[in-house]
Amino acid sequence: MKKKIQYLLAIGTLFVLVQSSCKKDFLEQEVDGRLPIENIWNTTDRAFGFLNNTYTNLPNVYMRISGAMLATASDEAKHSSDASSIQDIFNGSWSPVNTVENVWNNHYAGIRKANLFLENIDNVPLQKRDNAQGVDLDKLKVRERMKGEARFLRAFFYFDLVKRYGGVPLVLKSLNREEDLASIPRASIDDCMNQILLDCDSAANRLPLAYTGSIPEFDGSGQTGRATKGAAMALKARALLYYASPLFNPNNNSTRWATAAAAAKAVMDLGSGSRYGLLPLSGSVTHNNIFYQATGAAQYHNEIIFSTSYADDNSLERNNAPLIVNGLGLTNPTQEMVDAFGMNNGLAITDSRSGYNPANPYVNRDPRFYAAIKYHGQTISQNDLVQPLNVAQGIDKLNSLNATRTGYYLGKFMSNSSVWDLRTVRANRTSVLIRFAEVLLNYAEAQNESVGPDASVYAAVEKIRQRAGLNPFRLPTGLSKAQMREVIRDERRVELCFEEHRFFDVRRWRLYGNSSVNIPISGVNVTLDNLFNTTYNYFTVENRMWSPKMYFMPIPQTEILKSNQLTQNPGW
Amino acid sequence: MKTSYYIYLLGLAAIFDTSSSYAQNKETATKPKADTLTVQTVNVAFGAQTKKNMTSAVSFIDANTIKSNGLTNISQAMVGTLPGLMSSLSVGNTIAADSYSFLVRGKATNANTAPLIMVDNVERSIEYLDPNEIESISILKDASAQVMYGLRGANGVILVTTKRGAKNNSFIHIDTRTGVQSPEFWAPKLDAYQYATIYNEALTNDGRLPFFTAQELEGYQNNSNPYLYPNVNHQKELLRSYAPFHNYNFSAGGGDKTIRYFSSLGYLNQEGFFKHANVNDKYNTQNKFERFNFRTNLDVTIAEGFEAALDVNASISNNHSPWTFPNDILADIRNTPANAYPLFNEDGSLGGTTLYRNNLYGQIVNSGYRNEQARSLQTTLRLNKTLNFITQGLSANATYSIENFNPFVSGQSRTFAVYQLQPLVTPATYTAYGANSQLSSQGYSTSDYFRRNILNASLNYEYPKTGNHSLSAIVVYNQNRLQISGDDPDWKYQSISSRVSYGFKQKYFAEATAAYSGSSNFTAGNRMGFFPAFSAGWMVSSESFMKGIKAVNSLKIRGSVGEVGNDLISGGRYQYRQTSTASGGYGFGIPNGTSLGSTEGALGNSLISWEKAFKTNIGFDAQLFNQSVELTADYFHERRRDIAVAQSASVPGIIGISLPNENRGVVLNRGIDFSLQYKHSFNNLKLYTSLNGMFVKNKIIELGEQIQQYAYQYRKGNSLDARFGLVSNGIYQNAQDVANGSPSAYSALLPGDIRYVNQNPQDDNVIDARDRIVIGKGATPEIYFGLNIGGSYKAFDFSFLFQGAANRDIVFVPSQYSTAYYDYRWTPANAATATYPRVTAITSGHNNMQTSTFWQKDGSYLRFRNAELGYTFKNVLKLSSFRVYANGFNLATFSKLTDVDPESQSAGYTYAPLARTYTLGIKVKI
């Protein structure tokens, strides 16, 4: 009996062994929570979601480059830390191995998404319906609109690359590993621009004017934030303006200016001229409200032509507010930026009639100055604290630990209501990528170059000065083309400051000529004597190295080395 | 308290039946003149072999070595005691959290290099094992020994075997020790005046305005007002120089024909170094590590030839600390300048400023408390049945094992306010930052939870011992499933492996081993691999021509060759296919809306596979001079191929998508390891010494590197750890010097900055990343050794362990605010004698802080790891032995470095310091 039990046990053990070893699929994963790649193109939800995801590759102007704004690499501002990598752009260490700002991979990832979408979307089965076409007509409309979005986004990424590097490899289909990627050369600037314009036109034809329609999926308000017809046309106008500018138009082909002016004019004329306008300012709505939601400045207001989606955020305030209100004070506007703001009577501070008082430099300035700059003596309401800014003494004293390096802090974009101490209150903010003020300035610039300062040029610039609250806002009559060019450039510098325009504008204008120069950046040293008299001494914060090769950025060395065909920009 | 504990334990011991006498089971091992090689067995994969039969390379230590060198865990006992095993220390964020990572014979891959760890033939974690429970540790070093583990064996295998009860051999051990721990060192810091001076100097050097006024400097210098001009020695105020340590273990073993048992109960208590931990009424905020261990290994003979074993091992540990993590507090102590704020204001409130809101006293006393608990339960059921009715010598074995590890954090936290005195205002006015809150309960599961289920089944065959032939064979089926929280799906392994050993006339030995083994990390059809190995041994001393050579007691030559795998490749699991996610939507709509999203994952590589290691080993074992000298040495060579390397280095970014790795890398690794033991008795003095060492080098043949501009930028041809950096060429002494030198891409140069060699003067005159060349060997040593000296004199016994490493280097950039920097920094006045560069206020990326030969130091070291002195009383209190002993652990470290640990540079800086431990113990055998 005992023996039998042993046999049975032994046989049982063996059975278990054989059983488990024969279970061949032990290593197969039952549920691994991962979806196969084919799933994306099986249903419209997933396929449309793929296009939605393409928007996540859009850039954001705030603190984008390792905690620094691109503005701190132009003459607009200085980053408070000398250790910030943004310094490398002008301290001589900018190079193909140290590109500082590298959008190459991100933008080509966005381009791949747009290409994949365009290649696959027509094969995605639409929901069946009992009608003439046999499919859901709303989905059909959405699909066509999304093709427009994909082409707009592709154009956006390409233009963002071209304005940095000039011609880049033109990839219009999704690439795979088997292809000879190393043999794809850079396309010419002309070819890139043509493709951008083609994509913009195609997008404009497919996209609605606004998302205020009656078909929720197609043009309902729930779709707000997607590219519109106006966005595609405005991107085209911007691309044409660059294409006409000296850097991209070395032979000064003047018809390009005319084309650029016409493209901008087309945006201004949308909806019989009523589709876009400038956000009206009032006591409670400041110039900064263009960028975050407030009473009187709704989300996606009429001035925004294209922007990233709104998100609650206070990191911008936390990073840039003065130390006294517990900010980190990272972006410090330069004296050059401050001096570019005129007086509230519309005159430049260099104009003898302006009323500018060097002993009291911050009175009666352009209202935009008070929004964009935090200066000595200004009352700061931030982080639930109200404090006068003192850059002469205390924690914010010039050059103190982590304090301002120029005597100023950033004010633009920032909401007074955001709080990050104990409580967390954020502003609902967007990063505006194209706004109507830029279109007006693009038009004025192109039209002035094309036909000279006609009435429409005056009107476009004055519209911006009027909205800013300058009184009088009129420009002096009888300006020459060259004088008007300077007026437009100054206006552009002030109106669009810190929005990643200046960095590229000085390049496309070839503002620094053909030789290597040092560009000094200045600040103010405010001192108080025993009687609390304030004196303002201006000093050079640093000299920035400029050389003509910097008109275009260096292509990352890693990309050059991986390719047989990719050529580096001259001088790098 | 301590004495009462002793009495309790002794009482507990007395209850046990002590009738059966204690027998030294070591005696067989020390009996002279016997053929020790046939008696001593060594654990190998799924079995044990006598030393005589072994043809593979295995290192081995026994319980005595483990117990005397493992202070709190068995990793410590492996450091410097096992030839071929290399350790590196990393200190933890709390007092008891220092740990060792191990390499078996160096590195042969840039991916995972951790050896596989097995306890009693099942995969286990050993972090919480009590050294008192361990019988032996084997290290499987060559392909022949590793191949049973198939695609998991290539990084080597650590086999741990726990103690078991034996028939008619019952014993009770009580071991109790208590002592103190003291930090090896704390990072040296500047006082307030020195700090302010150097800070102003840094700003001035950078062309900026000084921060501290002359008045403040004077205040710091005169200590005129400790509230307005604080000068706090944080280490003195907040840290103590010793902490208590207790460790108790009670173990018992024995049994009869039917049931054998081994039980062990252990308790460990280590305190940290905070002062002021007793301030709160209801709770203590000392950092304290406690661990309870319980193990029972039970063997039952169910019937003749049919045995069952049940092993249960439980451990519960708790790391108690202030709610603020101890390493955060230590880092803050290290980083807070002496003049930052007074710990207490004149009115007794906590000091602070807007920048320093976490008063250090407050962090220790007022942040609440935290308990990090870990519970581990390991159980194994094993059945063994002889199958002599089929054929003599055949048996079957089945093992099922579960391990469950469950960490949890609970505690109470609170915030506290700090107050800053307003200068020049009377009466004293304070600005408050933060607020005092009540304690609030906290608790969360940490993500390290895991569970492991293992099934082993084997058939064993042992050819009856007759005649000239010996034969043994084993076939093992193994499946292993690991569930880790947050790591979905499970990790699964499956294998069938087999070993056949043959011996002829106890002179010639051969062994063939093979595994067919798979991992769920790879795609179907590409996940099972075949791994073979072959080894042979020749007992030269048994040949007749050796008979005359008296000096040689035994000599065996061994050799092996085989291929093993490593499935833990870089790039993670599932690289064989492209996946997608249903996420990554975008916020369209007013107000902030959402939308569906989908994204594509990295492209798939359907061919992705494990690393293959082709290993050869040649060695010998010798016993000489009446067995007083034992020498074992091995030469090993490994070619690791199919190492997964990134494709992004070769595929242009315009593809716009992340790429999977591909199996393209190749690394060579080769070296020697040896152990030399010497035993001798001079009347009452018994002495033994044991020296083991290893010399190992690896070389990258191919690692899929990005195409580089200059040949010297390639890692290819160098070792895996080779360090790249700039070559320093002294310090710029004056403006003319700077003007003559190459500008730096890292920062503007001034006199006092480090000068570097421009490696590509033909192309540029700038020092940048392209000027980095191989400057050193890196942190992994090429030479590693241990020396153990021990013995006994009458009733005294002693043992010393040294461990060291050489041919390694480290880069340590000291803080500018350290005393050494302060004393030897470059200033125009002491330009001739300065050994450190000028100070700067730029805190990162500066020219002077680049990895360079300037900061590279020889990382060789020698540690006096362990010393133990004991005295054994015989026949006192009717105990079979009563031993008192003193032990010192981590006693000293010798290296060319000052104020920094050669292995763990954060020790005493941002992490807990390495602790020296001095203990006194009593060990009773009943």
Side-chain angles (χ1 to χ4, degrees):
Chain A
M1 185 61 205
K2 204 174 165 190
K3 199 88 179 169
K4 273 187 181 161
I5 293 172
Q6 286 191 30
Y7 274 110
L8 284 174
L9 276 169
I11 291 163
T13 314
L14 274 173
F15 182 74
V16 170
L17 289 185
V18 172
Q19 201 42 9
S20 42
S21 52
C22 287
K23 221 176 100 186
K24 257 200 157 171
D25 54 356
F26 173 73
L27 296 180
E28 203 60 53
Q29 300 299 0
E30 306 87 349
V31 183
D32 68 2
R34 281 148 203 264
L35 305 170
I37 188 70
E38 299 77 27
N39 269 23
I40 295 178
W41 310 112
N42 285 347
T43 61
T44 49
D45 276 358
R46 299 291 312 281
F48 291 173
F50 192 75
L51 190 268
N52 295 342
N53 176 261
T54 312
Y55 280 82
T56 60
N57 288 59
L58 289 170
N60 164 331
V61 301
Y62 309 118
M63 320 310 289
R64 185 166 58 81
I65 306 153
S66 313
M69 297 177 87
L70 187 63
T72 54
S74 73
D75 59 3
E76 293 175 307
K78 149 119 188 107
H79 195 272
S80 68
S81 165
D82 284 335
S84 166
S85 62
I86 200 83
Q87 294 282 114
D88 293 351
I89 290 186
F90 44 77
N91 70 9
S93 57
W94 201 18
S95 77
V97 290
N98 180 22
T99 54
V100 184
E101 191 232 27
N102 183 358
V103 299
W104 191 273
N105 286 338
N106 174 67
H107 283 26
Y108 274 105
I111 289 163
R112 175 189 173 85
K113 290 177 189 175
N115 285 336
L116 263 176
F117 183 82
L118 291 169
E119 286 165 13
N120 289 297
I121 192 60
D122 283 339
N123 299 324
V124 175
L126 295 177
Q127 280 82 343
K128 296 224 177 340
R129 291 289 183 276
D130 191 13
N131 58 25
Q133 288 87 346
V135 294
D136 187 319
L137 294 178
D138 288 355
K139 296 272 190 220
L140 194 63
K141 282 183 139 171
V142 172
R143 187 174 82 181
E144 292 311 300
R145 185 203 73 213
M146 283 193 161
K147 287 189 207 167
E149 290 174 66
R151 300 197 77 161
F152 167 80
L153 290 166
R154 187 167 73 180
F156 190 96
F157 295 129
Y158 269 118
F159 179 71
D160 228 33
L161 288 166
V162 170
K163 74 178 180 186
R164 286 175 168 81
Y165 305 109
V168 293
L170 208 47
V171 179
L172 300 174
K173 65 181 187 71
S174 64
L175 300 173
N176 61 50
R177 181 68 188 85
E178 284 68 43
E179 278 161 283
D180 185 10
L181 305 174
S183 296
I184 300 178
R186 293 173 70 177
S188 67
I189 290 176
D190 290 343
D191 288 348
C192 291
M193 282 294 185
N194 285 338
Q195 184 60 44
I196 290 164
L197 300 179
L198 208 63
D199 277 343
C200 284
D201 285 341
S202 165
N205 286 335
R206 293 169 191 269
L207 293 171
L209 194 57
Y211 292 96
T212 50
S214 55
I215 309 169
E217 263 190 279
F218 172 63
D219 58 2
S221 68
Q223 310 304 320
T224 317
R226 293 182 186 276
T228 57
K229 182 188 285 287
M233 291 167 65
L235 177 61
K236 179 186 174 184
R238 183 193 281 181
L240 284 167
L241 180 79
Y242 273 68
Y243 196 34
S245 300
L247 182 64
F248 295 88
N249 187 10
N251 300 325
N252 200 17
N253 177 350
S254 64
T255 59
R256 290 190 187 173
W257 288 114
T259 326
K265 185 76 168 61
V267 180
M268 289 153 66
D269 291 343
L270 275 174
S272 313
S274 66
R275 172 62 184 93
Y276 297 110
L278 298 174
L279 180 73
L281 307 186
S282 65
S284 63
V285 182
T286 72
H287 196 268
N288 286 348
N289 285 116
I290 295 168
F291 309 96
Y292 66 87
Q293 188 187 1
T295 315
Q299 281 184 257
Y300 303 105
H301 51 77
N302 261 358
E303 186 169 346
I304 296 178
I305 297 177
F306 189 59
S307 76
T308 65
S309 64
Y310 278 77
D312 283 326
D313 167 73
N314 63 16
S315 65
L316 184 78
E317 285 83 2
R318 216 170 56 235
N319 279 319
N320 293 304
L323 274 44
I324 191 79
V325 291
N326 299 324
L328 299 173
L330 299 184
T331 309
N332 309 150
T334 61
Q335 188 63 42
E336 287 75 14
M337 185 72 243
V338 168
D339 290 345
F341 286 95
M343 306 300 287
N344 60 7
N345 56 18
L347 297 174
I349 60 168
T350 48
D351 193 314
S352 55
R353 301 159 298 162
S354 68
Y356 176 71
N357 178 5
N360 201 2
Y362 308 131
V363 296
N364 296 333
R365 299 293 291 270
D366 182 332
R368 288 172 290 186
F369 167 80
Y370 300 101
I373 310 286
K374 289 191 164 70
Y375 55 89
H376 179 75
Q378 189 183 24
T379 303
I380 312 287
S381 303
Q382 195 95 61
N383 199 17
D384 264 9
L385 299 165
V386 180
Q387 307 260 8
L389 176 60
N390 187 343
V391 296
Q393 292 170 328
I395 185 168
D396 281 305
K397 181 181 169 191
L398 181 76
N399 278 342
S400 298
L401 180 66
N402 301 329
T404 179
R405 307 294 300 280
T406 61
Y408 302 101
Y409 289 106
L410 184 72
K412 189 151 176 173
F413 310 120
M414 288 163 66
S415 159
N416 290 341
S417 58
S418 86
V419 176
W420 55 92
D421 208 12
L422 301 175
R423 292 171 301 133
T424 306
V425 182
R426 301 184 174 97
N428 194 24
R429 156 173 301 127
T430 182
S431 175
V432 177
L433 299 173
I434 310 176
R435 63 186 175 102
F436 190 57
E438 183 208 336
V439 174
L440 290 175
L441 289 162
N442 291 353
Y443 171 76
E445 184 179 341
Q447 182 71 1
N448 182 52
E449 297 297 336
S450 172
V451 301
D454 66 6
S456 69
V457 174
Y458 272 87
V461 181
E462 285 171 352
K463 218 171 182 173
I464 285 168
R465 292 165 62 85
Q466 183 179 19
R467 190 273 298 268
L470 300 180
N471 187 16
F473 61 83
R474 296 279 180 209
L475 293 168
T477 52
L479 293 172
S480 70
K481 183 174 176 175
Q483 285 170 326
M484 182 53 99
R485 182 183 296 139
E486 290 314 309
V487 166
I488 294 168
R489 287 183 178 186
D490 288 349
E491 200 59 46
R492 199 175 166 94
R493 185 177 188 180
V494 167
E495 175 65 28
L496 303 178
C497 63
F498 309 121
E499 293 179 53
E500 296 202 350
H501 283 289
R502 178 77 180 166
F503 182 90
F504 297 103
D505 284 342
V506 300
R507 285 168 165 75
R508 70 180 171 89
W509 290 331
R510 294 189 63 92
L511 199 67
Y512 301 124
N514 286 325
S515 49
S516 296
V517 286
N518 270 339
I519 303 165
I521 294 297
S522 317
V524 63
N525 186 6
V526 184
T527 46
L528 305 177
D529 66 13
N530 291 337
L531 299 168
F532 294 98
N533 291 320
T534 312
T535 49
Y536 300 88
N537 295 302
Y538 301 98
F539 68 99
T540 300
V541 176
E542 65 196 7
N543 278 306
R544 297 185 170 180
M545 291 162 68
W546 171 266
S547 84
K549 67 178 179 184
M550 295 182 185
Y551 283 122
F552 286 115
M553 290 189 175
I555 291 175
Q557 183 73 9
T558 52
E559 296 304 324
I560 299 286
L561 292 171
K562 283 187 283 189
S563 170
N564 308 324
Q565 294 291 326
L566 207 60
T567 50
Q568 186 53 277
N569 277 324
W572 290 111
Chain B
M1 161 63 206
K2 263 169 271 161
T3 6
S4 63
Y5 204 93
Y6 287 24
I7 291 164
Y8 170 76
L9 279 178
L10 284 169
L12 196 67
I15 301 167
F16 272 75
D17 173 19
T18 59
S19 58
S20 45
S21 68
Y22 173 75
Q24 261 285 15
N25 59 353
K26 279 201 311 185
E27 234 137 75
T28 46
T30 51
K31 196 186 285 177
K33 303 286 187 279
D35 185 355
T36 54
L37 297 180
T38 56
V39 178
Q40 291 175 354
T41 60
V42 171
N43 288 305
V44 296
F46 302 105
Q49 291 178 334
T50 64
K51 280 193 170 178
K52 191 155 199 169
N53 287 354
M54 290 208 37
T55 51
S56 50
V58 178
S59 307
F60 178 82
I61 51 173
D62 64 7
N64 288 330
T65 312
I66 295 163
K67 180 62 192 81
S68 62
N69 295 308
L71 178 70
T72 60
N73 64 54
I74 65 171
S75 295
Q76 293 162 339
M78 295 192 277
V79 175
T81 56
L82 287 153
L85 187 74
M86 187 184 278
S87 66
S88 75
L89 166 79
S90 53
V91 289
N93 50 1
T94 59
I95 173 64
D98 42 328
S99 62
Y100 295 89
S101 53
F102 293 100
L103 295 174
V104 174
R105 292 181 160 177
K107 281 183 182 177
T109 175
N110 60 353
N112 188 302
T113 55
L116 180 66
I117 298 177
M118 311 286 285
V119 178
D120 295 334
N121 285 328
V122 289
E123 190 185 357
R124 282 277 184 262
S125 44
I126 53 171
E127 197 182 347
Y128 295 100
L129 291 188
D130 184 336
N132 288 292
E133 302 168 353
I134 309 303
E135 179 62 43
S136 72
I137 298 174
S138 300
I139 310 296
L140 311 187
K141 301 188 290 189
D142 69 349
S144 171
Q146 295 160 352
V147 124
M148 292 290 274
Y149 301 100
L151 52 62
R152 308 192 68 192
N155 290 333
V157 185
I158 297 174
L159 289 186
V160 177
T161 308
T162 60
K163 291 179 179 167
R164 310 200 73 83
K167 196 166 62 175
N168 299 329
N169 181 12
S170 78
F171 62 87
I172 293 171
H173 290 181
I174 298 164
D175 188 359
T176 163
R177 57 160 73 176
T178 185
V180 294
Q181 297 196 296
S182 74
E184 218 173 4
F185 59 83
W186 296 107
K189 279 182 66 176
L190 298 179
D191 68 21
Y193 175 73
Q194 291 171 319
Y195 175 83
T197 313
I198 206 167
Y199 189 72
N200 275 356
E201 185 180 313
L203 285 169
T204 320
N205 280 347
D206 291 348
R208 294 170 61 179
L209 305 171
F211 182 75
F212 296 104
T213 61
Q215 188 185 2
E216 284 169 321
L217 285 171
E218 199 188 316
Y220 296 137
Q221 200 165 19
N222 301 339
N223 283 329
S224 53
N225 181 343
Y227 303 106
L228 206 52
Y229 304 116
N231 180 14
V232 183
N233 184 337
H234 293 106
Q235 287 155 350
K236 194 173 140 219
E237 299 291 332
L238 301 170
L239 298 171
R240 56 183 182 176
S241 50
Y242 74 93
F245 173 94
H246 309 287
N247 187 7
Y248 311 110
N249 178 268
F250 167 82
S251 63
D256 57 21
K257 240 179 79 183
T258 323
I259 294 182
R260 273 92 48 208
Y261 66 92
F262 170 79
S263 277
S264 166
L265 189 62
Y267 172 70
L268 171 69
N269 179 328
Q270 281 175 279
E271 283 193 22
F273 299 113
F274 292 132
K275 284 184 177 174
H276 315 293
N278 291 318
V279 173
N280 292 296
D281 281 346
K282 301 248 163 63
Y283 60 93
N284 186 298
T285 56
Q286 185 57 266
N287 182 194
K288 184 162 85 173
F289 180 78
E290 284 181 288
R291 189 184 69 198
F292 297 91
N293 281 87
F294 171 73
R295 170 183 289 276
T296 291
N297 289 349
L298 203 60
D299 294 285
V300 181
T301 304
I302 297 171
E304 177 68 31
F306 184 28
E307 311 220 332
L310 177 67
D311 300 352
V312 177
N313 179 39
S315 106
I316 300 172
S317 68
N318 182 23
N319 205 331
H320 179 87
S321 71
W323 180 257
T324 308
F325 282 106
N327 65 316
D328 290 344
I329 298 176
L330 292 173
D332 219 8
I333 286 177
R334 154 95 195 83
N335 293 330
T336 305
N339 63 347
Y341 55 87
L343 285 179
F344 298 100
N345 291 311
E346 200 160 7
D347 65 354
S349 59
L350 292 179
T353 69
T354 179
L355 278 181
Y356 294 98
R357 291 160 183 233
N358 282 319
N359 181 296
L360 277 161
Y361 176 89
Q363 289 185 60
I364 295 172
V365 175
N366 295 345
S367 70
Y369 64 90
R370 170 191 299 273
N371 287 314
E372 290 190 347
Q373 297 185 42
R375 285 168 233 167
S376 162
L377 182 65
Q378 306 171 338
T379 54
T380 305
L381 176 66
R382 203 176 284 115
L383 297 172
N384 196 50
K385 175 80 182 78
T386 57
L387 301 174
N388 290 338
F389 59 89
I390 298 173
T391 180
Q392 194 67 29
L394 187 68
S395 64
N397 177 301
T399 303
Y400 186 70
S401 181
I402 301 178
E403 177 176 13
N404 202 2
F405 179 75
N406 197 352
F408 186 78
V409 176
S410 65
Q412 305 259 326
S413 75
R414 54 166 290 205
T415 61
F416 53 90
V418 297
Y419 300 88
Q420 181 176 21
L421 178 65
Q422 292 300 309
L424 312 173
V425 183
T426 39
T429 328
Y430 294 93
T431 313
Y433 300 102
N436 289 312
S437 74
Q438 296 296 314
L439 285 173
S440 70
S441 288
Q442 306 282 344
Y444 56 89
S445 284
T446 59
S447 60
D448 312 328
Y449 161 85
F450 72 82
R451 175 187 295 163
R452 194 182 265 128
N453 294 50
I454 292 170
L455 173 70
N456 287 346
S458 64
L459 277 175
N460 300 275
Y461 176 69
E462 197 80 42
Y463 181 73
K465 272 186 184 140
T466 50
N468 286 332
H469 305 278
S470 67
L471 179 70
S472 69
I474 181 171
V475 181
V476 186
Y477 170 77
N478 165 268
Q479 71 179 43
N480 185 337
R481 179 188 199 126
L482 174 64
Q483 292 164 275
I484 303 175
S485 62
D487 210 356
D488 193 43
D490 302 345
W491 297 71
K492 293 192 277 193
Y493 295 100
Q494 189 177 32
S495 69
I496 288 185
S497 41
S498 172
R499 177 176 58 225
V500 180
S501 313
Y502 172 74
F504 180 65
K505 286 188 169 175
Q506 291 284 295
K507 221 190 272 181
Y508 308 107
F509 302 94
E511 194 170 283
T513 320
Y516 185 59
S517 124
S519 153
S520 63
N521 294 354
F522 306 105
T523 184
N526 207 12
R527 63 167 65 114
M528 298 294 293
F530 180 70
F531 301 91
F534 181 78
S535 61
W538 176 29
M539 204 73 205
V540 181
S541 52
S542 299
E543 297 289 351
S544 51
F545 61 79
M546 291 289 288
K547 284 286 186 283
I549 306 173
K550 285 268 156 53
V552 179
N553 305 105
S554 78
L555 173 65
K556 184 169 70 176
I557 297 173
R558 294 175 279 106
S560 76
V561 59
E563 185 167 275
V564 228
N566 174 23
D567 74 310
L568 298 175
I569 57 172
S570 55
R573 310 193 272 168
Y574 315 118
Q575 295 181 71
Y576 54 82
R577 62 169 180 173
Q578 189 180 19
T579 58
S580 68
T581 70
S583 61
Y586 196 73
F588 299 113
I590 300 176
N592 306 12
T594 55
S595 72
L596 295 171
S598 357
T599 57
E600 54 168 349
L603 293 177
N605 174 2
S606 58
L607 301 174
I608 197 81
S609 180
W610 50 87
E611 298 173 355
K612 286 109 189 153
F614 186 80
K615 300 186 178 191
T616 47
N617 187 84
I618 287 182
F620 69 90
D621 308 303
Q623 287 179 316
L624 308 169
F625 311 116
N626 218 5
Q627 297 185 4
S628 63
V629 174
E630 284 189 35
L631 175 63
T632 291
D634 285 275
Y635 167 80
F636 53 91
H637 182 281
E638 171 180 1
R639 184 172 187 273
R640 186 82 64 104
R641 67 179 205 279
D642 282 3
I643 295 170
V645 298
Q647 293 188 68
S648 57
S650 55
V651 179
I654 53 173
I655 196 166
I657 179 87
S658 25
L659 299 156
N661 288 340
E662 55 186 352
N663 296 106
R664 216 154 60 76
V666 178
V667 171
L668 280 189
N669 184 42
R670 64 274 190 228
I672 53 167
D673 60 31
F674 71 92
S675 78
L676 173 65
Q677 287 175 47
Y678 172 71
K679 278 186 297 211
H680 198 76
S681 298
F682 310 87
N683 299 325
N684 288 324
L685 176 66
K686 288 183 183 136
L687 196 68
Y688 72 86
T689 61
S690 163
L691 173 71
N692 70 77
M694 163 164 51
F695 177 73
V696 56
K697 271 179 115 158
N698 65 65
K699 182 171 154 189
I700 298 168
I701 304 297
E702 174 61 58
L703 222 45
E705 285 176 272
Q706 175 179 298
I707 298 162
Q708 303 280 9
Q709 200 169 353
Y710 302 105
Y712 58 73
Q713 292 178 294
Y714 284 100
R715 296 176 61 202
K716 198 188 272 192
N718 296 296
S719 79
L720 286 163
D721 270 19
R723 178 178 287 111
F724 280 77
L726 299 168
V727 177
S728 137
N729 192 3
I731 294 178
Y732 286 112
Q733 296 297 344
N734 52 53
Q736 186 55 44
D737 232 11
V738 173
N740 294 341
S742 305
S744 162
Y746 300 103
S747 55
L749 293 177
L750 289 169
D753 283 333
I754 300 174
R755 176 169 51 204
Y756 298 114
V757 175
N758 185 11
Q759 303 289 349
N760 53 346
Q762 70 280 13
D763 292 339
D764 67 35
N765 186 33
V766 176
I767 301 297
D768 60 14
R770 284 175 288 194
D771 296 310
R772 292 154 56 89
I773 64 166
V774 174
I775 57 169
K777 295 175 187 298
T780 305
E782 287 178 353
I783 294 174
Y784 183 94
F785 59 92
L787 174 66
N788 198 353
I789 301 171
S792 61
Y793 178 75
K794 292 182 176 168
F796 287 97
D797 63 85
F798 59 91
S799 130
F800 306 103
L801 178 68
F802 297 85
Q803 178 260 321
N807 283 21
R808 68 189 286 271
D809 40 56
I810 62 165
V811 161
F812 180 68
V813 185
S815 161
Q816 297 188 107
Y817 306 111
S818 63
T819 46
Y821 217 116
Y822 183 84
D823 291 339
Y824 300 108
R825 71 188 189 279
W826 190 95
T827 58
N830 72 349
T833 56
T835 50
Y836 286 78
R838 74 174 175 105
V839 289
T840 168
I842 296 175
T843 50
S844 68
H846 191 271
N847 177 71
N848 296 351
M849 291 157 199
Q850 299 304 313
T851 299
S852 76
T853 53
F854 193 91
W855 301 116
Q856 182 168 271
K857 298 279 183 294
D858 184 349
S860 305
Y861 67 89
L862 176 69
R863 284 194 201 278
F864 186 12
R865 282 191 58 80
N866 195 52
E868 187 161 303
L869 269 171
Y871 186 86
T872 306
F873 300 92
K874 291 253 166 164
N875 303 319
V876 282
L877 304 167
K878 292 188 175 174
L879 300 167
S880 64
S881 118
F882 182 94
R883 177 170 174 260
V884 292
Y885 63 97
N887 181 291
F889 187 77
N890 253 340
L891 285 171
T893 303
F894 309 94
S895 77
K896 290 180 184 163
L897 304 155
T898 45
D899 294 338
V900 56
D901 186 89
E903 280 189 280
S904 183
Q905 281 124 61
S906 46
Y909 283 78
T910 51
Y911 271 59
L914 198 58
R916 290 193 177 118
T917 312
Y918 308 92
T919 52
L920 285 173
I922 298 171
K923 188 169 185 175
V924 180
K925 292 176 187 173
I926 301 167

